[in-house]
């Protein structure tokens, strides 16, 4: 029987720092050569009592207390006891009331007001989502951006008040839970750079001191290699990048020389990355699905015959490459670069990869090809690796171009009525049937296609480039159509919030892009690198009642949940930044209002105390799930905030967002930081000559 740490930690509970500079512990044999081992556990994270009295005993539970039978008492004694008891109760009540009043809640001068937001939500109109660009009314986007900030601060403060330091937060029951015994800083680290971007200085300080005093990675637990990389390593690296590159933001400087916590984010990131490197110790270098952080030992997936998810193995590169650049340690770079070489050596047809890969052989498992779960960010990190290294790794541009052409050839089809564009799945490989199903996760793709087409610069600029041609125009059209399809998945439900998965009614046999556009580059195979001929018209009909679009979408009962995922607003953000079309901001505003209205957690009185995922987004009131995923604050609200900000704020030309929305800088690699491999020839005879990015 052990003492359980209270579920509702006060944010003011003191958390003792570790020994001075504990995170700097040098590599020692006792620590298996890893830094930071053998550190004293943090106060507040231990599950056992630590006082001398309690050292070797555990607290009794009520059921263990000895039972005393009540003594018989006469009427006078009973009356005296009643009065005495009543007085005691009054005194206790007064003491409790005083202690509550004396204990400040976690509020800061810029705390958002849950009551005001509640009133605002009550007054929300169902304004016209059919934005047609004709309205002349000037919109105050700064005010809308402030609303996003309010929603963020309410989400953060609710967490800080009720579950500070815990990895999970359940905003309805208001308690937190750890994913592993000591906690990983899952919510705090993931949201840290959003705090900076929103200029929430006191909260950044609060988060930073928790990271300094309480976060430790020397835990004997398995964690998911990919999730830990994109959320924790990505969060720390982005915090370092923002705090050093954008000092005007709420960036408590990361290089405050000589002060406690100097280089904190980098030190923590390096400690974590050194532990994560063990996941790459397979015979091919493909990382295992999990990693024991304390032993730095990779662990194959317990399911899927030990195979790793392809997307997970290939979505760690931006983080490790940036760390290599920062530290000058090529080992980080080489570990993740090797993964890409092994994957590409499989020579998959048209650049489309199955969703599982064996770490021991480097071969794919099964034939399932999709851009949803387990496949998605493989493609995302192709184009982003190319952009991260300032176009010094052309192999990734080539792989991206090949994969995008493959998607257009094998995965794109159209709905029966409104001709919405669908990016489906091939569960039995490219020779099998195309399944017209889209996970919400697929909705990252349109924004990424636009990013790939222009490299992040505005479309109007990109069109002036000599390299711009018909193919790029077609890619922008595809991006616009897919964004519209993702928007339709929001419009279709009662809450205005998308389900986790949507199916579409399509023709049989499937109409493919080459059938629909016989003159396109994908149909003719001719690049068409002629001068741009301007915007290509949308094929799809408007989302109005007469276009029949509602009949095109089909939501299955088990897929009606909404986890407050970011992918659609992520694409709106890229589409707005790149095309400059206000329509994407308007769609975003409608989505944002739906999130506030239907995922808000009200208090007994008229006040909002947090935001939750939904188990059914297609009914009003929606069924709630009592969970706030860390990506709500790390990604979804960040992308809304950036969508309503000026287009050059945290510019796309200088930054690359990792798959968890953590901005990292673009840079030029030097020395040993290079691609170091070439693609194997697809025709078997000779190796392709793709110029390497060694500089
Ligand atoms: C995020 O953790 C990342 O974006 C990841 O790549 C997949 N999607 C979730 C959020 O939906």
């Amino acid at each position: 029987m052990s003492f359980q740490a209270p579920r509702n930690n006060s944010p003011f509970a003191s958390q003792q720092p570790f020994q001075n500079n504990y995170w700097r512990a040098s590599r020692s044999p006792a620590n298996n050569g890893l830094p930071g081992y053998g550190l004293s556990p943090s106060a507040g994270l231990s599950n056992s009592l630590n006082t001398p009295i309690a050292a070797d005993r555990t607290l009794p539970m009520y059921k263990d207390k000895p039972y005393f039978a009540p003594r018989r008492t006469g009427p006078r004694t009973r009356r005296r006891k009643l009065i005495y008891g009543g007085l005691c109760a009054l005194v206790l009540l007064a003491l409790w009331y005083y202690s509550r009043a004396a204990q400040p809640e976690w509020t800061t001068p810029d705390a958002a007001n849950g009551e005001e937001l509640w009133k605002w939500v009550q007054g929300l109109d169902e304004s016209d989502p059919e934005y047609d660009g004709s309205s002349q009314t000037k919109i105050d986007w700064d005010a809308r951006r402030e609303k996003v900030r309010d929603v963020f601060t309410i989400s953060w403060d609710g967490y800080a008040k009720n579950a500070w330091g815990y990895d999970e937060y359940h905003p309805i029951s208001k308690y937190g839970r750890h994913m592993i015994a000591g906690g990983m800083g899952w919510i705090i680290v993931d949201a840290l750079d959003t705090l900076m971007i929103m200029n929430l200085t006191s909260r950044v300080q609060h988060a930073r001191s928790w990271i300094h005093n309480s976060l430790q990675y020397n835990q004997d637990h398995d964690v998911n290699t990919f999730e830990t990389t994109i959320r924790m390593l990505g969060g720390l690296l982005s915090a370092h990048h923002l705090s050093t590159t954008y000092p005007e933001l709420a960036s408590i400087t990361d290089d405050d020389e000589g002060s406690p916590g100097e280089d904190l984010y980098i030190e923590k990131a390096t400690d974590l990355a050194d532990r994560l490197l063990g996941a790459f110790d397979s015979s091919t270098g493909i990382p295992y699905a999990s990693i024991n952080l304390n032993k730095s030992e990779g662990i194959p997936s317990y399911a899927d015959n030990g195979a790793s998810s392809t997307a997970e193995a290939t979505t760690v590169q931006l983080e490790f490459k940036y760390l290599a650049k920062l530290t000058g340690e090529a080992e980080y770079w080489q570990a993740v670069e090797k993964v890409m070489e092994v994957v590409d050596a499989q020579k998959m047809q048209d650049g489309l990869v199955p969703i599982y890969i064996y770490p021991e052989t480097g071969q794919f498992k099964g034939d399932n090809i999709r851009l949803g779960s387990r496949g998605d960010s493989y493609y995302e990190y192709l184009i982003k690796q190319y952009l991260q290294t300032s176009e010094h790794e052309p192999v990734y541009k080539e792989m991206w171009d090949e994969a995008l052409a493959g998607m257009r050839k094998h995965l794109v089809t159209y709905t029966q009525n409104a001709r919405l564009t669908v990016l489906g799945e091939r569960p039995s490989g490219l020779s099998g049937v195309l399944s017209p199903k889209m996970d919400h996760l697929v909705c990252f793709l349109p924004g990424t296609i636009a990013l790939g087409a222009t490299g992040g610069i505005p479309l109007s600029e990109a069109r002036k480039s000599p390299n711009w041609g018909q193919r790029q125009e077609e890619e922008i059209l595809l991006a616009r159509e897919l964004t519209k399809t993702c928007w339709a998945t929001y419009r279709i439900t009662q809450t205005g919030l998308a389900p986790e998965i949507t199916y579409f009614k399509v023709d049989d046999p499937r109409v493919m892009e080459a059938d629909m556009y016989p003159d396109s580059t994908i149909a003719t195979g001719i690049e068409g690198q002629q001068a741009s001929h301007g915007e290509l018209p949308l094929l799809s009909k408007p989302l109005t009642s007469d276009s029949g679009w509602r009949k095109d979408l089909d939501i299955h009962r088990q897929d009606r949940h909404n986890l407050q995922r970011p992918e659609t607003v992520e694409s709106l953000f890229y589409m707005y930044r790149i095309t400059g079309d206000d329509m994407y901001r308007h769609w975003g505003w409608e989505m944002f209002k739906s999130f506030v209205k239907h995922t808000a957690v009200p208090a007994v009185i008229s006040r909002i105390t947090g935001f939750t995922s939904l188990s059914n987004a297609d009914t009003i009131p929606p069924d709630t799930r009592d969970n706030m995923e860390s990506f709500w604050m790390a990604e979804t609200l960040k992308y809304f905030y950036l969508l309503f900000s000026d287009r050059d704020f945290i510019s796309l030309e200088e930054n690359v967002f990792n798959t968890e929305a953590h901005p990292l800088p673009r840079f030029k690699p030097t020395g040993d930081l290079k691609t170091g491999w070439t693609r194997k020839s697809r025709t078997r005879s000779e190796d392709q000559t793709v110029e390497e990015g060694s500089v």
Side-chain angles (χ1 to χ4, degrees):
M1 206 180 332
S2 64
F3 174 69
Q4 295 296 314
R7 280 175 162 183
N8 296 334
N9 263 8
S10 159
F12 294 103
S14 66
Q15 292 167 331
Q16 287 168 16
F18 297 148
Q19 294 154 354
N20 278 350
N21 291 345
Y22 67 93
W23 64 87
R24 290 176 195 275
S26 56
R27 290 165 190 262
S28 76
N31 293 341
N32 291 337
L34 283 165
Y37 282 34
L39 304 173
S40 56
S42 164
L45 292 182
S46 165
N47 266 352
S48 56
L49 289 178
N50 235 355
T51 63
I53 300 171
D56 56 359
R57 71 171 173 82
T58 50
L59 285 179
M61 287 175 74
Y62 288 115
K63 69 183 171 68
D64 298 324
K65 284 189 174 162
Y67 175 77
F68 295 102
R71 285 202 324 235
R72 283 184 163 275
T73 49
R76 265 186 65 199
T77 328
R78 265 207 304 271
R79 201 176 315 122
R80 211 180 304 136
K81 278 200 158 175
L82 268 178
I83 295 165
Y84 180 71
L87 277 174
C88 281
L90 270 176
V91 170
L92 283 175
L93 195 69
L95 277 174
W96 174 80
Y97 182 79
Y98 176 77
S99 72
R100 296 279 302 176
Q103 183 192 344
E105 292 205 336
W106 171 248
T107 53
T108 63
D110 52 0
N113 185 327
E115 278 167 44
E116 257 168 39
L117 199 69
W118 172 264
K119 279 188 212 136
W120 180 74
V121 170
Q122 301 315 304
L124 276 184
D125 58 334
E126 297 300 335
S127 64
D128 179 17
E130 275 310 315
Y131 172 77
D132 63 3
S134 62
S135 166
Q136 294 303 311
T137 327
K138 185 151 172 31
I139 300 211
D140 185 350
W141 291 106
D142 285 348
R144 292 185 171 186
R145 178 170 110 134
E146 280 311 291
K147 278 280 176 282
V148 180
R149 197 170 180 264
D150 287 348
V151 168
F152 180 91
T153 51
I154 288 169
S155 305
W156 174 268
D157 290 354
Y159 164 75
K161 182 180 171 197
N162 299 308
W164 183 244
Y166 283 92
D167 297 324
E168 290 175 16
Y169 180 45
H170 305 282
I172 298 177
S173 45
K174 297 187 173 36
Y175 81 94
R177 229 175 44 182
H178 280 322
M179 296 185 319
I180 63 174
M184 289 279 290
W186 210 246
I187 293 183
I188 295 174
V189 174
D190 213 9
L192 179 58
D193 61 0
T194 313
L195 291 167
M196 292 177 175
I197 287 171
M198 294 186 179
N199 220 0
L200 295 163
T201 316
S202 60
R203 291 172 182 82
V204 173
Q205 252 155 351
H206 190 207
R208 192 182 198 278
S209 71
W210 183 86
I211 292 169
H212 174 58
N213 294 329
S214 306
L215 181 58
Q216 56 178 340
Y217 292 123
N218 56 340
Q219 301 195 43
D220 194 18
H221 269 283
D222 310 349
V223 296
N224 179 288
T225 309
F226 153 80
E227 297 287 4
T228 306
T229 303
I230 64 165
R231 300 190 199 209
M232 299 300 99
L233 188 57
L236 290 165
L237 291 171
S238 172
H240 170 79
H241 164 52
L242 292 184
S243 62
T244 49
T245 315
Y246 300 90
E248 71 281 8
L249 294 178
S251 52
I252 313 300
T253 178
D254 193 23
D255 201 11
D256 193 0
E257 252 178 73
S259 69
E262 180 190 344
D263 289 334
L264 174 65
Y265 305 133
I266 288 288
E267 296 280 1
K268 285 287 177 190
T270 312
D271 178 22
L272 178 59
D274 287 348
R275 294 164 193 278
L276 287 167
L277 275 182
F280 298 83
D281 279 344
S282 67
S283 35
T284 63
I286 297 286
Y288 293 110
S290 302
I291 173 86
N292 178 300
L293 284 180
N294 203 38
K295 298 186 194 131
S296 184
E297 206 172 83
I299 300 154
S301 168
Y302 295 116
D304 313 313
N305 247 342
S308 301
S309 296
T310 307
E312 295 193 1
T314 55
T315 309
V316 289
Q317 282 67 21
L318 295 184
E319 297 77 5
F320 279 88
K321 286 185 173 183
Y322 177 43
L323 187 60
K325 168 74 181 163
L326 281 174
T327 60
E329 298 280 348
E331 195 191 348
Y332 297 129
W333 187 292
Q334 285 150 2
V336 296
E337 191 69 70
K338 177 75 186 157
V339 179
M340 301 309 297
E341 182 184 3
V342 172
V343 169
D344 194 55
Q346 299 302 302
K347 301 184 187 177
M348 288 309 297
Q349 186 186 346
D350 294 326
L352 301 177
V353 295
I355 60 173
Y356 291 105
I357 188 163
Y358 289 111
E360 299 308 348
T361 63
Q363 285 173 342
F364 290 114
K365 170 182 180 288
D367 300 308
N368 198 344
I369 289 172
R370 67 181 180 218
L371 270 284
S373 62
R374 302 183 189 279
D376 48 6
S377 45
Y378 162 71
Y379 305 94
E380 177 185 352
Y381 269 32
L382 292 179
I383 188 64
K384 286 186 173 175
Q385 282 182 86
Y386 173 66
L387 297 175
Q388 177 185 39
T389 51
S390 308
E391 310 182 1
H392 278 63
E393 297 190 280
V395 66
Y396 293 117
K397 176 74 162 83
E398 177 170 310
M399 288 167 77
W400 164 254
D401 285 341
E402 185 180 305
L404 179 53
M407 291 174 218
R408 295 176 62 184
K409 191 167 160 197
H410 300 286
L411 304 182
V412 168
T413 186
Y414 306 88
T415 64
Q416 276 176 344
N417 296 298
R419 288 305 188 201
L420 296 170
T421 298
V422 174
L423 194 119
E425 304 180 354
R426 293 275 185 177
S428 310
L430 296 185
S431 52
V433 74
L434 174 63
S435 164
K437 167 198 170 220
M438 277 172 70
D439 292 352
H440 188 280
L441 292 168
V442 180
C443 289
F444 83 94
L445 185 64
T448 304
I449 292 175
L451 175 71
T454 75
I457 64 173
L459 183 55
S460 53
E461 290 295 310
R463 280 187 170 136
K464 293 177 197 154
S465 152
N467 297 327
W468 189 265
Q470 190 186 342
R471 177 165 64 84
Q472 287 77 9
E473 284 297 342
E474 290 169 4
E475 287 175 3
I476 292 292
L477 175 66
L478 177 61
R480 291 184 87 103
E481 291 283 17
L482 283 173
T483 308
K484 183 171 169 184
T485 304
C486 291
W487 165 230
T489 67
Y490 280 70
R491 290 284 310 282
I492 194 73
T493 68
Q494 304 224 22
T495 58
L497 294 172
E500 178 72 358
I501 298 171
T502 307
Y503 290 83
F504 297 87
K505 297 232 166 59
V506 298
D507 294 313
D508 211 359
R510 311 289 185 243
V511 176
M512 305 302 286
E513 187 180 330
D515 307 324
M516 196 60 94
Y517 297 99
D519 295 332
S520 65
T521 55
I522 213 70
T524 63
I526 303 165
E527 262 293 282
Q529 203 64 277
Q530 74 269 42
S532 121
H533 44 71
E535 190 86 34
L536 294 168
L538 286 188
L539 168 80
S540 56
K541 297 180 188 163
L543 304 184
T544 47
S545 49
D546 54 345
S547 70
W549 72 276
R550 285 182 180 276
K551 286 186 270 165
D552 285 340
L553 277 67
D554 179 19
I555 304 169
H556 296 178
R557 202 183 151 72
Q558 68 274 19
D559 304 327
R560 298 178 302 186
H561 48 293
N562 178 292
L563 305 183
Q564 304 174 294
R565 282 197 192 275
E567 290 76 17
T568 300
V569 62
E570 172 182 352
S571 276
L572 294 179
F573 157 72
Y574 283 106
M575 294 306 287
Y576 171 65
R577 288 260 170 130
I578 287 166
T579 67
D581 189 339
D582 253 356
M583 176 179 72
Y584 297 115
R585 278 178 139 184
H586 285 275
W587 289 357
W589 180 242
E590 295 306 317
M591 278 170 52
F592 174 73
K593 286 192 292 181
S594 298
F595 272 118
V596 179
K597 193 162 180 172
H598 298 294
T599 74
V601 177
V604 185
I605 48 164
S606 312
R607 190 161 61 90
I608 293 175
T609 59
F611 294 85
T612 179
S613 329
L614 305 176
S615 52
N616 181 1
D618 200 16
T619 183
I620 288 188
D623 300 331
T624 52
R625 255 179 121 92
D626 192 14
N627 193 39
M628 181 192 76
E629 299 283 347
S630 74
F631 50 68
W632 167 244
M633 291 196 290
E635 294 197 73
T636 310
L637 291 174
K638 183 188 286 152
Y639 282 129
F640 275 121
Y641 190 80
L642 293 174
L643 175 63
F644 304 145
S645 300
D646 290 343
R647 280 164 80 192
D648 55 1
F649 178 60
I650 317 284
S651 128
L652 279 185
E653 289 158 60
E654 284 152 13
N655 295 281
V656 177
F657 288 75
N658 90 338
T659 194
E660 188 75 3
H662 297 306
L664 305 174
R666 296 187 184 200
F667 59 86
K668 291 192 176 71
T670 49
D672 286 343
L673 310 185
K674 59 186 178 190
T675 312
W677 61 279
T678 49
R679 300 189 78 191
K680 298 252 174 341
S681 164
R682 268 42 190 169
T683 55
R684 270 196 213 159
S685 52
E686 82 249 67
D687 281 356
Q688 268 172 280
T689 47
V690 177
E691 205 186 310
E692 266 188 43
S694 75
V695 272

